[in-house]
Amino acid sequence: MKIEQLDIPSSAIEFLQKNGYVNLYPPQEKTIKAGLLEGKSILVSAPTASGKTLLAMLAIIKHLSEKKGKMVYLSPLKALASEKFNEFKKLESVDLGKNLKIQISTGDFDISDKSLGQNDILVLTNEKMDSIIRQGAEWIDEISLVIADEVHLLGDDDRGPTLEIILTKLKLLPQKPQILALSATVTNADEISDWLECKLVHSEWRPVPLSEGVYDQGVITMQDRKKFEIETSVRGPPVDLGLDSLKNGGQAILFAETRTRSVSLATKASEAVYRTLNNDEKESLEKISQKILNDNEQTELVKTLATLVKNGVAFHHAGLNQNCRDLIESEFRNKRIKILASTPTLSAGVNLPARRVVVANVTRFDAKYGANKPISILEYKQLCGRAGRPQYDEYGEAIIVANSNSEEIFDYYINGIPEPISSKLTGDKALRIHLLSFVSTSPGIKGEDIVEFFSKTLSGSQERKTTIKFHIQITLRYLESEELVKQKGNRYIATEFGKKTSTLYIDPLTAVLFRKSLEKISTKGHTLGLLHVITSSEDFFPKFSLRNKDYELVGTLIENYADQLIENISEYDCNRSLLAIHAWINESSEIFLSDNFGIESGDMHRIAETADWLVHALYEIAKLEKKDEILIEIDTLRSRIAYGIKKELVDLVRVKGIGRVRARILFKNGIKTTEELNEIPTEKLAKMDKIGPVIAENIKTHLKKIR
């Protein structure tokens, strides 16, 4: 089927053709024939790169051309949401009889932000959508199309329950919005589509054929049982497999089980890859390497990355900050970086394919079990999905490195069927969060109606009603005992504390910890104590455990700041993230954090981001509990966390354009308050380090707005 045959406006057809869409792929054609453009709800279960994004665009175009309601695109990841936002934004150039308004929102929802409801297309993370539903935004009743991406993540322990709850609520809306659910190929897609009340379009078709195999002792056995050998070296099998792909002009992603291994694999590959580069490539990579050094604090990790990039290789993991990760992804797409060693996080989200994917190890450390465990078949298939680039490759290859038991690995992973998706909603944490949210948004709801709603979730379709009821009763008992909900007769309502917990989007366990900690405070001056409460809460992430050498550091910290503690604690009650956040708010550099605590820039960003959210929640609970005497202290702490500054700089960073570096420079030059900043002439301000005329003018302009 050709694009021009579709029942959409000619302006849209012309736009799509200009963007390279001429013929529909088989899964796309099947979806159109299943009624996508007639408003039918559909679950598309198909491999990576089989054209699911175009289906989303076609559904949006159809709704826009018929001037239906609002369209919501749901993503599990911020990076993926950003990628899709940029793609959908191109639709603004299409004449569909109205000015298209599109907005992305991936952060915490602010009830005063009414601009979201003024848009036609909203690109949201699942958590953001959940938060919006909890806030009771009126425009939810105008939603006519829901596009849910990566729906196979319903089976994910962390992300699955939220996606399950919002899809349950959206499909139960009175206006019955059209649902387009997009998923990797899963075993029980028919069960998921029945639950979603969608037609199922299942396809194994890929635009680039994928061949899977297992490497053992220098020989690769592919799924058709053909064997071939590769040149081996002391660099090890994963690197040898990557270098072998380069010989034929391909790129390779080496999936490593840990951050350390990803750096090690990139390092081992660097010298050999460098020998394959031409002079133009070397010159380009030299500039990219220098950019990495210029734009980031030069921690050992950053310097290692810059050195490796010069050789045409890189590593990618969560320890790198977003600047570095974005640059690496971009240069890999541009084919300047030839081999990329990455942790498995790269398998989800952004589109970053390579001709050959190498799975260096099929085991991962599982913190819950405290030991290495084999990855699931579904996760392996997701890693495979990165192999084969449309427009670049005629084929893709995914190869597992088998250290032993190659036949067993072959049978389990290559010939294996991915595990069926099973709901994780009745886990303790997920249920207490979403049960409280449901009661909070349904005041006076009967116990049997709560059970009835949860029986309409995926969990409800997979478990007995009596089992669901049992889990709900236990969870309600906990919520009642901590005064988050109250029961009157057979009806339940959320208390003010419960409502606040739900709208703050925190785990009830976190809220209870915050309230109990606040009850123990009667004076000011509890910075370390508040940081300890935040970093030990259920919602805090990432929590880095203490290494042997950290116990003495924590012990000294507790001893030096004993007067700031809320209760007596020992080093065994602390984690390394507490050390990092305390050092951060005392203006420690990224180099110091890396060298002393092993906390890299990307880690520190996530620690600060999570702490900022939780300290805001702490502030709101303190307000609710009428702990007015410590509100200023908590608010000050939030500024310190956001900017990584000592208390003396809090006033200065209120001015837009002044962060931790410029604030410290101003302070050293005798400007310690916004009053003093207002008095200094612009010309004198401009002469200071890292300021200059343009920034000085901007600072003065923004200063007027806060005075």
Side-chain angles (χ1 to χ4, degrees), residues 513-522 530 533 566 617-619 621-623 625 627 629-630 634:
L513 172 67
F514 284 2
R515 184 179 60 182
K516 288 179 177 176
S517 298
L518 288 165
E519 285 170 359
K520 298 172 185 174
I521 300 175
S522 57
L530 294 172
V533 169
I566 296 168
L618 184 67
Y619 180 89
I621 290 174
K623 260 204 317 190
E625 297 294 312
K627 302 292 288 187
E629 67 276 12
I630 60 164
I634 296 173

Side-chain angles (χ1 to χ4, degrees), residues 483-502:
E483 299 176 351
L484 290 144
V485 302
K486 286 193 295 190
Q487 183 181 6
K488 287 187 178 179
N490 189 34
R491 294 183 181 273
Y492 291 87
I493 59 168
T495 63
E496 289 305 309
F497 178 52
K499 288 179 199 169
K500 181 62 72 176
T501 299
S502 179

Side-chain angles (χ1 to χ4, degrees), residues 627-689:
K627 302 292 288 187
D628 298 347
E629 67 276 12
I630 60 164
L631 289 178
I632 292 173
E633 181 180 356
I634 296 173
D635 193 46
T636 298
L637 180 59
R638 190 179 183 192
S639 292
R640 294 183 65 187
I641 289 168
Y643 292 96
I645 54 171
K646 293 180 180 177
K647 189 177 179 180
E648 63 205 32
L649 301 184
V650 168
D651 188 33
L652 290 173
V653 296
R654 291 168 57 220
V655 183
K656 190 176 177 182
I658 299 178
R660 74 181 330 209
V661 174
R662 290 196 184 109
R664 181 51 62 194
I665 288 167
L666 289 168
F667 196 89
K668 285 179 179 176
N669 279 276
I671 300 166
K672 300 179 180 181
T673 64
T674 49
E675 288 280 351
E676 292 168 346
L677 185 60
N678 187 50
E679 290 167 11
I680 187 172
T682 306
E683 309 79 52
K684 190 173 179 182
L685 183 63
K687 290 176 182 175
M688 291 184 190
D689 186 30

